Amino acid sequence: MTRKNIYLDNAATTPMDPKVIETISSEMTNNFGNASSQHAFGRKARQVVEAARHELAETINAQDKEIIFTSGGSESNNTAIFGTARARKNIGKKIITTKIEHPSVLNPMKRLAKEGYEIVYLDVDKTGHINLDDLKKELTPDTILVSIMAVNNEVGSIMPLKEIGELVKDSNAYFHVDDVQGFGNIEIDVKEMNIDLLSTSAHKVNGPKFLGFLYEKDGLKVSNLLLGGEQEVKRRPGTENVPGIAGFGVAVHELNEMDKKQLQEKYQKFQKIILDALDQKQIDYEINGSLEGKVSHHVLNLWLKGVNTYSALTNLDLNGYAVSGGSACTAGSLTPSHVLEAMYGEDSPRIAESIRVSFGRFNTENEIKSFAENLVNMCQRLSK
């Protein structure tokens, strides 16, 4: 009998929704036109692109023309950051972000620092949240951008976007949100939250890889990252990926049909199953971050005391369970989690003894029970 592998790394990527696969396959077969062509094939492709754009825009309360299709979250983040920096350097060169952002935000910041921009990295507390007073103090007339993620990809902390938007709207800065982990898990209203730029990625919401969008508020001055043709209202050159965009629209439509509160309650139940199993067998562990307050429950980050992260990942993988460490595993060695370092300090034992479990809408209760049992057995075997 073939063992079924269980996927619990949904913060890294998600399995494609069968309806998305069906749509993409159908579009590839029946609708191969270039959406910029004027003939019937092109017009048909354009209709597909615009229908998906409308679906995405409605999800975050934006106008259709404010949605720019990109290759994903990294390109969207890079466009928002470099585009703002280059277009607004005559106003100032100060940018505010946090210490726990995704590398597609942190690495552009490092590049800009080398170019003479002043980058301020806000601290976070042990739950993975910023202090709004710290942001308030740093917001000066020469601040041109505030870039803060919606939901942290390692510990699930939700940033106070509405409160940040209120502070930033009265300044000279644009407010950019990396919503790659939040999109589909929490409700976002760009108007209500005073968000100027917002990045998403399709593969985090059961859509195709290498596709996302950047919301760019109408009237903003942001330079293009790429140069070429006049696609995407002259904002992002390159022939549109019509089948992928159609699939993205379907993925988001499926998500919009769901109650996000119920989804979070489902994930909370999953967390409880795992934690109850650990408690029952008196496994020595702690939560990284928090399970209370502003947090998305699709992520559960555990410090398994005395269990090395790499050993835990290897053992779980061999038993058919896919989870991750704090950061990407490269060439057999784990890069220390910059998120856990920012929360607990570089010398914390948590950094070498933590795993991230992340749930998706296709996970079942039986899968979680099976994982919990295996996790307990592993901890008993490997703990010092």
Side-chain angles (χ1 to χ4, degrees):
M1 184 177 165
T2 308
R3 183 191 65 195
K4 183 196 171 193
N5 286 347
I6 292 173
Y7 186 75
L8 294 170
D9 195 17
N10 290 273
T13 194
T14 55
M16 258 204 274
D17 187 315
K19 289 182 183 176
V20 172
I21 296 170
E22 192 184 322
T23 299
I24 291 173
S25 180
S26 171
E27 290 298 324
M28 290 174 81
T29 307
N30 304 311
N31 193 8
F32 58 84
N34 186 322
S36 296
S37 298
Q38 297 305 307
H39 47 61
F41 292 89
R43 292 195 303 273
K44 188 181 174 189
R46 173 55 57 194
Q47 284 172 354
V48 169
V49 169
E50 296 312 318
R53 196 190 309 275
H54 181 70
E55 184 81 49
L56 298 168
E58 280 202 322
T59 305
I60 59 169
N61 191 25
Q63 300 176 61
D64 291 9
K65 65 181 178 180
E66 295 173 320
I67 302 297
I68 303 157
F69 287 110
T70 69
S71 66
S74 292
E75 185 193 323
S76 296
N77 284 338
N78 273 256
T79 303
I81 293 163
F82 286 122
T84 299
R86 306 265 152 80
R88 311 191 76 223
K89 59 186 176 187
N90 61 318
I91 297 169
K93 287 187 132 185
K94 183 176 180 181
I95 297 173
I96 301 171
T97 187
T98 81
K99 289 181 178 177
I100 64 167
E101 298 298 311
H102 189 269
S104 61
V105 168
L106 294 178
N107 286 329
M109 296 299 177
K110 285 179 191 171
R111 170 77 61 85
L112 288 173
K114 287 177 183 172
E115 294 177 15
Y117 287 80
E118 180 194 353
I119 313 295
V120 174
Y121 298 93
L122 300 177
D123 286 317
V124 292
D125 61 20
K126 287 188 165 111
T127 67
H129 294 91
I130 62 163
N131 184 323
L132 286 168
D133 288 336
D134 293 346
L135 173 60
K136 212 171 187 176
K137 282 175 205 160
E138 292 293 351
L139 266 177
T140 50
D142 61 338
T143 307
I144 55 170
L145 179 68
V146 173
S147 180
I148 294 177
M149 63 187 1
V151 176
N152 183 263
N153 51 305
E154 291 192 26
V155 294
S157 50
I158 300 174
M159 291 300 180
L161 300 180
K162 192 173 180 185
E163 293 83 348
I164 295 168
E166 278 294 322
L167 288 174
V168 177
K169 74 170 185 180
D170 296 324
S171 73
N172 286 329
Y174 290 166
F175 179 27
H176 167 241
V177 173
D178 172 0
D179 191 32
V180 168
Q181 284 297 326
F183 195 59
N185 285 308
I186 63 169
E187 297 288 354
I188 296 271
D189 184 320
V190 292
K191 301 286 187 285
E192 189 188 327
M193 295 174 170
N194 293 291
I195 295 169
D196 299 303
L197 296 151
L198 179 137
S199 308
T200 72
S201 185
H203 77 101
K204 305 288 187 176
V205 291
N206 309 104
K209 290 175 178 61
F210 215 61
L211 185 69
F213 74 77
L214 174 66
Y215 157 76
E216 190 179 293
K217 186 179 174 183
D218 189 32
L220 253 54
K221 189 182 176 188
V222 178
S223 299
N224 285 9
L225 186 68
L226 303 174
L227 301 175
E230 298 192 347
Q231 291 91 348
E232 296 302 292
V233 206
K234 302 182 183 179
R235 294 297 296 114
R236 201 281 187 181
T239 302
E240 287 97 343
N241 174 4
V242 178
I245 288 169
F248 194 5
V250 169
V252 169
H253 178 77
E254 291 298 299
L255 272 174
N256 289 342
E257 295 290 295
M258 292 176 203
D259 185 326
K260 289 188 179 64
K261 193 180 170 199
Q262 280 182 1
L263 206 55
Q264 287 289 324
E265 284 169 359
K266 174 186 171 179
Y267 297 153
Q268 266 184 299
K269 191 176 182 183
F270 288 173
Q271 288 180 334
K272 189 174 186 305
I273 289 168
I274 294 168
L275 300 180
D276 283 351
L278 292 170
D279 289 337
Q280 217 167 31
K281 296 294 182 179
Q282 297 182 315
I283 303 298
D284 198 4
Y285 76 94
E286 281 185 36
I287 305 291
N288 291 321
S290 174
L291 299 183
E292 307 295 327
K294 287 200 163 192
V295 62
S296 178
H297 297 282
H298 79 290
V299 174
L300 176 64
N301 200 308
L302 295 168
W303 174 22
L304 304 172
K305 298 181 187 180
V307 179
N308 174 271
T309 300
Y310 184 67
S311 299
L313 297 185
T314 305
N315 272 266
L316 289 167
D317 185 33
L318 288 171
N319 283 298
Y321 301 94
V323 300
S324 74
S327 192
C329 186
T330 311
S333 64
L334 282 169
T335 306
S337 163
H338 69 283
V339 173
L340 297 184
E341 284 183 348
M343 290 166 64
Y344 300 106
E346 289 178 16
D347 299 325
S348 172
R350 293 172 188 258
I351 292 155
E353 298 179 346
S354 293
I355 65 167
R356 180 188 71 181
V357 186
S358 49
F359 313 113
R361 61 190 182 93
F362 293 129
N363 285 127
T364 66
E365 198 172 311
N366 283 339
E367 287 179 335
I368 307 304
K369 285 176 179 173
S370 168
F371 169 74
E373 186 183 343
N374 200 277
L375 181 67
V376 165
N377 291 341
M378 183 203 70
C379 289
Q380 288 174 327
R381 201 170 63 250
L382 295 182
S383 58
K384 292 168 191 170

